[in-house]
């Protein structure tokens, strides 16, 4: 955060230390992928729903082309890639931008528009929609690389036993195929280590997000989205936990500071669905100008679905010792289990967390989650992002809007855009609509 932004909202934490650590980790991660490929470690391109720890435990390098595409959407090379796909390859403009990112990483002349190693195997699922399966299937044929395509049911409310079993069997079969490919069994100790790190990570992450329950909010949720890049893609190793501890301490030191300084916050809002990473600066300025705190977002709360078996409370300042204690506790719960038990539990845990993830579930679940968050964070207004890149996720947005207005009596700003394609974004139009949204919130609050 620069000096200008700090001045405009002094209630918000300065995240410069953890941001620097995150950037260094991302750099090491990208460089590391290439080095591992050079050392002949197999590379899997993986659909965004399937967690990385499964592959790391097998010595396979997981690469998420959708995430790389989304995070680099504003780069000129990615824009050129999308133009190229539409004009030269006649890929229809209305297919998902992330899928275009995956296909473009293979078809376009500049090789990968975002620099990722080529795959030895492709793994995806249709748990969110069929587009990504189609995209992976296309590149599998084009490159002659094997594809594992998991078939997952849609979940409207809760996953039942049959659904969990159906998904677990497929994950088990996937392990079998991969073990054959790499010539050895899955390393359960590795898997447990990752599991303990992931649970520790998500416990700490949950507390960071919930710091914004207090008024004024100590952190801009737009900044928090950047940290979600590492959940799936990166190894949840100790360095990542240290980076998160730095973020935790930055946020909670601001909570302490806010007790001594003036509260500048006028409105508290929630963002449903993905942010537009390339427009982060634009939205931050808009929020600061109107003294709006973006307090939370449904996408930030996805780790709530991981159903951690432990409720470990961290406290400010988080130390290495607290992190080690949380990890030990988690490992201790599994120490007497056999290889087969741990393997089975990890498969079931993965199947459940994949099935129950918010993105895969129906409109009723999404509305319930928004309702819960509106109450918990005392939200004055909700932004619904209708992402043209993701039609399945955008389809229920109009119903959700009606229910928020009618049942929660909270103003809503719904707008169309595209996380991947800037052609669908107009700053002036959004500014005008945002100002009308502010007026509705002001009226509601009696200002
Ligand atoms: S359309 Fe949406 S759910 Fe489907 S692949 Fe694209 S981003 Fe994912």
């Amino acid at each position: 955060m620069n000096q200008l932004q700090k001045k405009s909202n002094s209630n918000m934490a300065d995240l410069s230390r953890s941001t620097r650590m995150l950037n260094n980790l991302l750099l090491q991660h990208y460089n590391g992928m290439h080095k591992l490929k050079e050392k002949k470690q197999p590379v899997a391109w993986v659909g965004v729903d399937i967690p990385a720890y499964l592959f790391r435990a097998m010595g396979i390098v997981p690469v998420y082309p959708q995430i790389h595409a989304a995070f680099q959407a504003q780069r000129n090379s990615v824009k050129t890639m999308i133009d190229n796909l539409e004009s030269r390859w006649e890929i229809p403009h209305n297919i998902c931008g992330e899928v275009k990112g995956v296909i473009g990483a293979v078809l376009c002349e500049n090789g990968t528009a975002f620099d990722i190693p080529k795959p030895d195997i492709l793994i995806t699922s249709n748990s969110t929609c069929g587009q990504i399966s189609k995209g992976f299937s296309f590149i599998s044929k084009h490159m002659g690389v094997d594809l594992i395509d998991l078939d997952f049911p849609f979940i409207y409310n809760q996953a039942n036993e049959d659904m969990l079993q159906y998904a677990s069997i497929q994950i088990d079969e996937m392990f079998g195929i991969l073990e054959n490919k790499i010539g050895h069994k899955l390393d359960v100790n590795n898997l447990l280590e990752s599991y303990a790190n992931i649970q520790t990570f998500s416990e700490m992450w949950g507390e960071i997000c919930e710091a914004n329950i207090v008024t004024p909010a100590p952190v801009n949720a737009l900044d928090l989205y950047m940290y979600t890049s590492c959940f799936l893609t990166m190894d949840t190793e100790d360095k990542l936990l240290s980076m998160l501890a730095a973020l935790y301490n930055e946020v909670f030191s601001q909570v302490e500071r806010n007790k001594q300084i003036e509260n500048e916050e006028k409105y508290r809002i929630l963002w449903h669905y993905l942010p537009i990473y390339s427009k982060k600066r634009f939205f931050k300025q808009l929020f600061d100008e109107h003294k709006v705190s973006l307090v939370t977002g449904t996408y930030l709360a996805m780790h709530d679905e991981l159903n951690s078996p432990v409720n470990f409370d961290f406290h400010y300042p988080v130390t290495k010792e607290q992190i080690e204690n949380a990890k030990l506790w988690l490992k201790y719960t599994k120490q007497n289990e056999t290889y087969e038990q741990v393997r089975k539990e990890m498969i079931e845990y993965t199947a459940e967390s994949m099935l129950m993830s918010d993105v895969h579930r129906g409109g009723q679940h999404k509305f319930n989650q928004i309702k819960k968050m509106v109450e918990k964070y005392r939200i004055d207004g909700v932004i619904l992002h209708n992402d043209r890149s993701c039609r399945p996720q955008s389809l229920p947005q109009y119903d959700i809007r009606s229910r928020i207005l009618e049942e929660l009596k909270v103003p809503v700003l719904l707008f169309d855009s595209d996380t991947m394609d800037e052609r669908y974004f107009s700053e002036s139009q959004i500014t005008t609509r945002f100002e009308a949204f502010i007026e509705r919130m002001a009226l509601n609050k009696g200002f």
Side-chain angles (χ1 to χ4, degrees):
M1 190 178 275
N2 63 35
Q3 272 319 100
L4 197 75
Q5 284 164 324
K6 263 184 101 173
K7 254 189 210 157
S8 58
N9 192 343
S10 52
N11 293 134
M12 294 289 181
D14 174 359
L15 306 182
S16 50
R17 180 159 180 258
S18 58
T19 307
R20 240 187 348 264
M21 289 168 85
L22 175 70
N23 289 340
N24 282 338
L25 285 172
L26 282 167
L27 203 67
Q28 283 168 22
H29 169 69
Y30 277 93
N31 291 338
M33 283 190 306
H34 289 285
K35 284 195 186 124
L36 293 171
K37 173 89 181 176
E38 278 161 25
K39 285 186 191 157
K40 307 281 178 238
Q41 220 170 303
V43 169
W45 279 15
V46 185
V48 77
D49 313 319
I50 312 171
Y53 59 82
L54 300 178
F55 308 106
R56 294 224 166 78
M58 306 180 96
I60 295 173
V61 184
V63 174
Y64 291 84
Q66 281 166 273
I67 294 183
H68 295 289
F71 272 96
Q72 300 191 44
Q74 74 274 32
R75 280 179 51 190
N76 281 339
S77 56
V78 176
K79 287 178 192 152
T80 313
M81 174 192 82
I82 289 184
D83 279 349
N84 225 327
L85 282 175
E86 291 177 6
S87 58
R88 185 166 160 220
W89 294 89
E90 296 183 1
I91 302 283
H93 77 95
N94 61 350
I95 71 163
C96 161
E98 289 187 11
V99 175
K100 279 187 203 154
V102 175
I103 299 173
V106 174
L107 288 186
C108 290
E109 267 163 11
N110 52 348
T112 52
F114 34 97
D115 189 22
I116 52 174
K118 293 258 170 6
D120 300 298
I121 189 156
L122 300 159
I123 303 163
T124 190
S125 81
N126 59 0
S127 56
T128 43
C129 81
Q131 284 201 52
I132 195 66
S133 292
K134 292 262 185 216
F136 268 64
S137 161
F138 175 83
I139 55 176
S140 162
K141 285 187 197 123
H142 186 83
M143 298 177 89
V145 174
D146 288 342
L147 167 70
I148 300 176
D149 192 359
L150 307 175
D151 177 38
F152 273 43
F154 284 102
I155 310 296
Y156 287 96
N157 290 310
Q158 293 297 318
N160 63 32
E161 273 309 308
D162 287 347
M163 291 168 169
L164 286 170
Q165 208 190 351
Y166 183 66
S168 299
I169 288 171
Q170 291 183 69
I171 294 173
D172 196 19
E173 283 172 358
M174 174 184 81
F175 278 156
I177 296 170
L178 294 176
E179 282 169 340
N180 267 339
K181 198 169 176 74
I182 57 175
H184 60 83
K185 284 230 161 240
L186 162 82
D187 184 335
V188 164
N189 285 332
N190 251 344
L191 196 56
L192 265 186
E193 182 70 31
S194 281
Y195 173 74
N197 280 352
I198 283 168
Q199 296 298 348
T200 307
F201 189 94
S202 56
E203 285 295 311
M204 219 192 304
W205 175 253
E207 289 186 31
I208 291 168
C209 292
E210 290 190 357
N212 274 351
I213 286 176
V214 296
T215 303
V219 62
N220 188 328
L222 274 178
D223 285 324
L224 293 181
Y225 280 106
M226 297 315 289
Y227 296 85
T228 61
S229 61
C230 51
F231 286 170
L232 269 171
T233 53
M234 289 162 68
D235 200 352
T236 45
E237 54 172 28
D238 291 348
K239 281 187 208 153
L240 201 64
L241 288 169
S242 304
M243 182 275 294
L244 204 64
L247 174 64
Y248 187 105
N249 291 337
E250 284 167 338
V251 170
F252 281 91
S253 70
Q254 185 66 38
V255 173
E256 293 306 312
R257 252 193 315 278
N258 281 349
K259 290 175 187 164
Q260 318 292 330
I261 60 175
E262 194 190 339
N263 175 3
E264 296 182 14
E265 181 179 277
K266 278 181 88 176
Y267 307 102
R268 297 167 61 82
I269 63 170
L270 173 154
W271 186 297
H272 177 55
Y273 196 58
L274 283 176
I276 307 163
Y277 297 106
S278 58
K279 294 290 169 193
K280 181 178 156 192
R281 189 184 292 252
F282 164 77
F283 277 107
K284 274 183 102 165
Q285 279 170 356
L286 203 56
F287 295 162
D288 280 351
E289 206 178 301
H290 295 277
K291 304 216 175 295
V292 167
S293 296
L294 179 66
V295 174
T296 188
T298 45
Y299 193 68
L300 296 173
M302 277 191 201
H303 267 232
D304 287 359
E305 311 289 342
L306 280 176
N307 291 330
S308 171
V310 62
N311 191 0
F312 189 93
D313 278 337
F314 290 94
H315 28 262
Y316 170 71
V318 166
T319 56
K320 251 186 163 171
E321 198 188 351
Q322 285 181 50
I323 294 175
E324 283 312 311
N325 285 344
K327 281 166 63 176
L328 276 177
W329 201 97
L330 283 153
K331 282 193 217 160
Y332 176 75
T333 59
K334 306 262 172 231
Q335 70 176 354
N336 294 324
E337 294 183 2
T338 63
Y339 176 94
E340 290 307 330
Q341 278 171 324
V342 175
R343 182 185 168 113
K344 185 167 177 285
E345 275 175 31
M346 288 293 123
I347 288 174
E348 287 170 357
Y349 166 76
T350 305
E352 188 175 0
S353 51
M354 282 176 71
L355 286 180
M356 300 300 276
S357 164
D358 172 73
V359 237
H360 310 163
R361 294 165 80 181
Q364 177 66 46
H365 170 81
K366 288 179 167 63
F367 172 73
N368 288 346
Q369 199 198 15
I370 290 171
K371 182 171 186 260
K372 210 164 70 187
M373 293 175 92
V374 164
E375 287 160 4
K376 183 168 163 182
Y377 290 88
R378 300 181 316 286
I379 295 296
D380 301 313
V382 177
I383 291 185
L384 298 178
H385 173 204
N386 224 17
D387 185 356
R388 283 167 180 264
S389 251
C390 185
R391 284 159 197 255
Q393 293 303 327
S394 297
L395 197 62
Q397 298 285 54
Y398 284 90
D399 287 339
I400 290 173
R401 177 177 70 169
S402 307
R403 292 193 63 185
I404 294 172
L405 291 172
E406 282 160 24
E407 296 175 40
L408 308 183
K409 314 273 185 238
V410 166
V412 175
L413 168 62
L414 186 151
F415 69 92
D416 275 10
S417 177
D418 190 310
T419 44
M420 284 293 292
D421 196 334
E422 287 190 4
R423 289 174 297 183
Y424 298 105
F425 192 89
S426 154
E427 290 190 0
S428 60
Q429 214 177 73
I430 297 291
T431 304
T432 311
R433 300 202 42 215
F434 190 78
E435 283 162 357
F437 176 57
I438 293 283
E439 279 171 23
R440 292 199 300 278
M441 285 196 290
L443 210 63
N444 238 16
K445 286 174 78 92
F447 289 163

